[in-house]
Amino acid sequence: RDDASARAARARQDQLTKPPGSLGRLEELAVFLAGWQQRERPAIARAQALVFAGNHGVCARGVNPFPQEVTAQMVANFEAGGAAINQLCREAQADLSVVALDLDRPTADFTEGPAMSEAETLETMNRGAAAVDPGADLLVLGEMGIGNSTVAAALANAAFGGAAGDWVGHGTGSDSAGLALKARVVAEGVARHAALPAIAQLAALGGREQAAICGAVLAARTARIPVLLDGFICTAATAPLHATAPALLDHCLVGHASREPGHARLCDAMGKEPVLSLDMALGEGSGAALALMILRGALACHDGMATFAEAGVAGG
Amino acid sequence: RDDASARAARARQDQLTKPPGSLGRLEELAVFLAGWQQRERPAIARAQALVFAGNHGVCARGVNPFPQEVTAQMVANFEAGGAAINQLCREAQADLSVVALDLDRPTADFTEGPAMSEAETLETMNRGAAAVDPGADLLVLGEMGIGNSTVAAALANAAFGGAAGDWVGHGTGSDSAGLALKARVVAEGVARHAALPAIAQLAALGGREQAAICGAVLAARTARIPVLLDGFICTAATAPLHATAPALLDHCLVGHASREPGHARLCDAMGKEPVLSLDMALGEGSGAALALMILRGALACHDGMATFAEAGVAGG
């Protein structure tokens, strides 16, 4: 992060024709983007959206009412342009790519052993990193994977403690019996793997889309590209990075406060305030794509507004 | 409102490729727009944004630290394209018009008598109504007027009761002494005028931009154009309509939850849940213009997504 650019952006905000601070979060977002893009007037000429998809061995435990084939069906839907994320990326002007990660070969059931080997985890992190365009001005991250709200709850619980029941929610459609099952399955997985170091936890509990998200976040960090994480599952995917060093996520915003109850707890634990709260619980990067619209509004004001001196308005 | 169109839109939402309800507020917004636009697939080809500006006699009481000349200076800034609302309307694709309402002739001080005559109030409502393009698909409303957070607090207090202090906030920059003064001034005005019928309250306490907003809201209702109100001041301008009949505002959404403390109370009293909450307190229609981006996202999903049957995805 470049503090000089952030300070220059802050000083500019204070000269724009509005009461100081009256654009609230928009001002913060403009200053944040200035710091990471290293320029007083940041811009989003190219926004990249990446959706990673994976399948999960823990589905053998019956944690999701939908069959795992839905993951590949939804990937086909993304590729045909029929999903919510396609419409939202078009509206927010983001270039969408979908990366399907060996869907015909689910990870192992984490209640019986590690979901992935460490070698596969690192390889998948590299696949995520390689998907990032180093020329992007902003990166939107999303995910798809039947069963992955259980994976998210396990990663969050392992990183931040508490009871399994604090982290599970209805996901794509679990009823209350399903919720109780998810909590038991998460508790089993966490009991088995929580003593491991953070990246080994990612391997043991995570899925491929979680590892790819971690890799993409790290690659964006290296390229100083600010990141919009989506909701619960996408945020939870980065919990192992937070457990390693919270500063690894300093370039990340959370786009949307999910309806999944674990997300508020997770954002608190990670010190992130979501940009939007629209009662959504879809994933795919949908909340992050909507938040991109707000970022575009913030930058339009930051770049396009007149200063008090330019406009001849009293009060500057 | 056309219930058949709203029901058809609701049925369509339930067939789109996502877990039922997972788009949360976006689904509600699409169904709401379908009802008012009377079509299963609503669209926003033309969004009109109207910003009404007025000056207020109550400024003689020292309720705002800025001179009243700033209202005309900001109107010039709107016309030159230098204000926040210009950038946000461009980004949200809304056609912006600014209507300055006799700025060189402020209303009377409402602590000494009615701010406007009823005749002037009705004439100004007509000016607001006449500014509405009957061919618009959606109307964004905003305001500008030094001193008008005091006017807003008075209208809200007269309509919904409570203490004056419940409704006042820092506005464009009052300190705590200024806040206490605003509360006294509001209490004086409300004591003098609160027994009047609602439209007479609008004349007695309101300003010209408040009357114009009421007129525009009613004209939009007649033309079945859904409306995005902005924040505290814009919402409070419609309080006399709510006091007359709450259903007069059924076609109105509140775009943004203002940082002004009276706004949450006001939205509760009016049964409105703001679309966004971004810690802003600017006015000008800025929060409504940002909310328009979310509405566009909602309609893009509603219109563009594939159904389960179309996409061959299980679970529909």
Side-chain angles (χ1 to χ4, degrees), chain A residues 8-313:
Chain A
R10 181 69 262 165
R12 176 170 170 75
Q13 278 290 332
D14 294 341
Q15 293 166 14
L16 298 177
T17 43
K18 56 180 171 57
S22 60
L23 281 175
R25 192 76 197 265
L26 266 55
E27 300 189 14
E28 278 176 33
L29 292 169
V31 171
F32 172 89
L33 292 170
W36 287 102
Q37 290 191 2
Q38 303 179 87
R39 43 186 169 175
E40 180 189 339
R41 301 208 195 181
I44 304 178
R46 169 151 163 69
Q48 182 183 26
L50 288 171
V51 177
F52 297 105
N55 272 324
H56 302 276
V58 74
C59 284
R61 296 291 303 272
V63 289
N64 192 297
F66 290 90
Q68 282 188 285
E69 289 70 34
V70 170
T71 305
Q73 289 167 358
M74 281 302 295
V75 166
N77 195 27
F78 298 145
E79 284 165 355
I85 190 61
N86 299 99
Q87 323 315 317
L88 294 173
C89 280
R90 194 178 57 241
E91 204 60 35
Q93 299 169 65
D95 296 327
L96 173 63
S97 305
V98 179
V99 182
L101 298 158
D102 306 331
L103 299 184
D104 52 354
R105 197 168 58 80
T107 57
D109 176 358
F110 66 57
T111 64
E112 306 206 323
M116 294 182 288
S117 68
E118 290 211 29
E120 178 166 21
T121 303
L122 292 173
E123 184 203 314
T124 311
M125 289 175 73
N126 280 338
R127 289 170 75 179
V132 174
D133 174 358
D137 298 306
L138 185 117
L139 178 61
V140 163
L141 290 178
E143 47 56 47
M144 169 71 210
I146 292 295
N148 71 5
S149 66
T150 300
V151 170
L155 286 168
N157 192 2
F160 296 108
D166 297 338
W167 300 103
V168 299
H170 290 286
T172 47
S174 294
D175 56 16
S176 58
L179 207 62
L181 172 64
K182 279 171 77 167
R184 281 200 305 279
V185 166
V186 167
E188 284 178 41
V190 170
R192 181 184 273 268
H193 303 297
L196 295 169
I199 297 301
Q201 282 180 15
L202 173 63
L205 295 168
R208 293 195 186 91
E209 70 273 37
Q210 285 72 24
I213 286 169
C214 287
V217 163
L218 294 175
R221 171 83 184 207
T222 303
R224 295 177 186 270
I225 300 170
V227 171
L228 272 168
L229 302 173
D230 189 26
F232 177 56
I233 294 161
C234 190
T235 311
T238 68
L241 298 181
H242 191 275
T244 303
L248 289 176
L249 301 177
D250 280 351
H251 63 310
C252 296
L253 300 165
V254 174
H256 178 266
S258 173
R259 197 163 63 205
E260 279 288 292
H263 198 214
R265 181 181 293 264
L266 186 60
C267 289
D268 276 356
M270 293 171 65
K272 301 288 185 191
E273 168 87 15
V275 176
L276 294 171
S277 180
L278 294 164
D279 196 34
M280 292 163 49
L282 175 60
E284 302 180 1
S286 54
L290 285 161
L292 171 56
M293 299 179 191
I294 304 300
L295 266 56
R296 289 192 182 283
L299 293 190
C301 290
H302 185 72
D303 188 52
M305 284 176 72
T307 64
F308 283 106
E310 285 165 356
V313 174

